[in-house]
Structures are given as structure tokens and as C-alpha cells.
Amino acid sequence: MELHVLIVDDSPAMRNFIRRVLDLSGLEVGLCLEASNGEEALRVLEDHWVDAVLTDINMPEMDGEELLRQMSAHPVLRSIPVLVVSTDRTEARIQKMLTLGARGYVTKPFAPETLRDELVQSLGGGDGSN
Amino acid sequence: MRKTRVLIVDDSAIVRKLLADALSGEDDLEVVGTAPDPFVARDKILTLKPDVLTLDIEMPRMDGLTFLKKLMHYQPMPVVVISSLGQAGCQTTFEAMRLGAVEVLAKPGGPYSVGELRMDLAAKIRAAAAARLRKAPIEPLVKPDPPPPAPILGGSTVIAIGASTGGTEAIQEVLMRLPANCPGIVVTQHIPAVFSLHFANRLNEICPMEVKEARNGDTLATGRVLIAPGNFHMLLRKSASGGLHVSVQDGPRVCYQRPSVDVMFSSVAELMGPRAVGVILTGMGADGARGLLKMKEAGARTIAQDEASCVVFGMPKEAIRMGAADQVTPLTRVPAAILSQLARIAR
């Protein structure tokens, strides 16, 4: 099984880094798509069947919080697991993102294993949103 | 001729093999791959480009309905649902039909033999391959407003409805919009045994009329719909008291089908003559066309679903070709057509 993912971050360097981490993680990554904000991410998700979304929170145009909100309200996209990858480590923020439907939360900077483990865990949970 | 490419999605290796073996003798069908879970299935769908999917809807890792929603969004294709006969399986199956799956087959094993599988699977896949995909309504079902009452008819009148591929959704569309005081309705839908019971119960919850899977001897009366049970023919009969009842019986398949629409329509033609309305809806094949012609020749009013609204324009096409249909109409107008034909009978 190949894993198809979408990486959403306004920093190209961070998107590259996450991509490298996934490549080296031992996971079999197929399609690895990128978007620089929530709006772009939604456009990509309209056409591409991905298994997971990794998203930053603070981004121009549409931030990660709104992306989660829109995905949760979408009949198809709401079943795609979302993993938040953010520098924000405040408890309130983490809780908020999880309440909005995020399956996991990784704070930057992160150890490569942490990202991999959180991603695998967020995939495994099945879909309770139906 | 280009073969129809089939992908089998099932978590059980045994079932994958049974399904693939059942198709091995068919010249026009080719199993291009199998997948044990939705993740592998997604990869194979994108790389192998199958025409039809058989889908086990109770799988680990990602439930089949979620997978089906995504499939219909990203890569719409005809799906034959392979389901267990359990309560949960039946419910999930009807949800899958609502999301756009076009055929259903009972999982082999248990009461459903490998011989029957061989007979039915290829036919279901051919029907699915011929299906026109609807834009799947992902939002939950909304009950329409209660329809106005039907015209009051002196004497008994019967409505007979037959359907196959795409029929579960079409029949629901029609029955939801018929009033509670409608004359008795008999329905034959090609559907496996056990699923017919769940189909009837589900309709009973959302339709103004009482809907019930028919048992032998059940009486037909105003406000009641009887659905032929899977694997049995259903015929209309006159009771000693003068009322109507159905006979549910075994017998050879007619047009490869049991229940057969032809068998039911013919019984209605013989018994009711002009005091009946016959309706033939979406479905592969020709079952029901001859029976509908018999009804028309006996003086009944007959309606066929039009091509544009059919999932498979087979049975209605054949009926129209034979001259059996008084009226050809889109699905959304079938309820109104039935009511106006009743009004004509009343005059």
C-alpha cells in the first residue's frame, strides 16, 4: 500500500523537510502533494484522492484552522485524517484543533519518528465521523 | 470486443478467490486485480483503471461506505456490493445503494451457494458495467412532503411495479410520493433473499403506505405495498371472499430471474384486466416487458421509465419496443403518472 499525502505549509523549506522526513520514515509514500495555504489545499483535495493531510496552522489566505473547519463540513473530505504540524504548543490551541477534527498534533521542531508515529496513528483510527 | 475489467475488493482471501474463480469462465469479463483493503484498492483503481468494482463493504482499516463516498467523488465507477446477510450488512448495503452502488450480491458461503454465485455474479457485473452513474446524493435522505390523497376508486384496483438494476432507489422514489390511501401495490425487484426483507422494512419507515415483504397468503388492500421476497415468485390471486392476496412460490427462474416481474405482471393481467396500472422501471435485461404487454392487452394502463432517468435502460426499453407502454416518463413523474392513470380508471 502506498500512502498519498498532502503537505500544507506556507514555507517551501518546511514542506521540503516534511517530505524528506516521510521519504526516510520507512513508510511507502506514493503521491506527495503540496499546498501553501488552506485554499490551495482545498483545491488539491477536490481532485486528488489522498490518505492524509499534514497542515500548518498560521498561513496567509486561509489558515489551518479554517481548512479543518471546511474539511469537517465537507461530506467526502471530512473522512480524510488531518495531522496538524505547528510551532504553537499552547494547550488551548491544541485542544481547539483536535475539537475541529484533527486526528493528531505535532509541535515543531519535531523528531522524525514523532511525525511518522503520529501520522501512522492518525491513519489507523478508522473513521468515526460518519 | 473489449472485455469489462473487474477489480475485486474484499478482505477475505477466500472470498477474493471465489469471486475471481466464478468469473474465470466468462469471455467478456476479466478480473484485472484484487485488493484486500480500501488503501490497496485505491492504488489499483488508479493504476489498473477497472470498469467495475466488487466491494465488500464490511472491511477493516477503513469502512466500505467511507471508501465508496471517496470513490464516487474522485473516481466514479459502477460498484457491485458484496454483503453479508446480517442486520448491519443489510443496512450498510442500502446506504451503499444510496451513495451510488448499483447492484448487490450476498457474500458466498452460508445459505448462498457457490453455484448460485457463478450464475449471478457475472450478470450483476454486466448490469453494473451498463449502468449510467448518477451523481451520488451524499447528503442524508430527506422525506418529501406527504402527497395529496389518491382518487377514491370503487372496487379493487392494483398497481404492479417491476424493476432491477437501480431499482431499489427508483422504487423508493416512487413509493415515497404515493399517498397512504393508494390502492394496493405489488412490487417485484430483483434482489437477493434476506435483502428484500430489509428493503421492505426500510421503505415502510419512509413511505406513507404500509410496506411489507410478502408472505404467502398476505392480503392486498388499499394503503398496502407487498414486496416479492428474494428467490421466490410473487403472483396475485383472488381470495374466496372476493378480496386479493398474493401467492409466494418457488419455481423455475423466468428471464434468469426469481422473483420475475413477468410472472407477477402476468398474474395481474389475468386477474385484474383493466383495473390495474403496470409500471416498469430501470433494470438490465427484458424481464417484465412481456408481462407488461399482457397487462396492456388486458386493458390495464402501463407506464415505462424513460431512458434518461434509468440507471440501466433495459427492461423499459424492451417494453417500449414491444409496444407495451402507454406512457414513457422520467422517474420523478412516475408517481403523478400513476395517480392520473388511477383517476382515469375511476372515471
Side-chain angles (χ1 to χ4, degrees), chain A residues 77-97:
Chain A
L77 302 187
R78 73 166 168 233
S79 62
I80 300 173
V82 176
L83 182 62
V84 176
V85 185
S86 168
T87 49
D88 192 336
R89 47 179 71 232
T90 57
E91 192 54 34
R93 186 57 162 235
I94 295 174
Q95 273 314 316
K96 175 146 205 204
M97 296 304 276

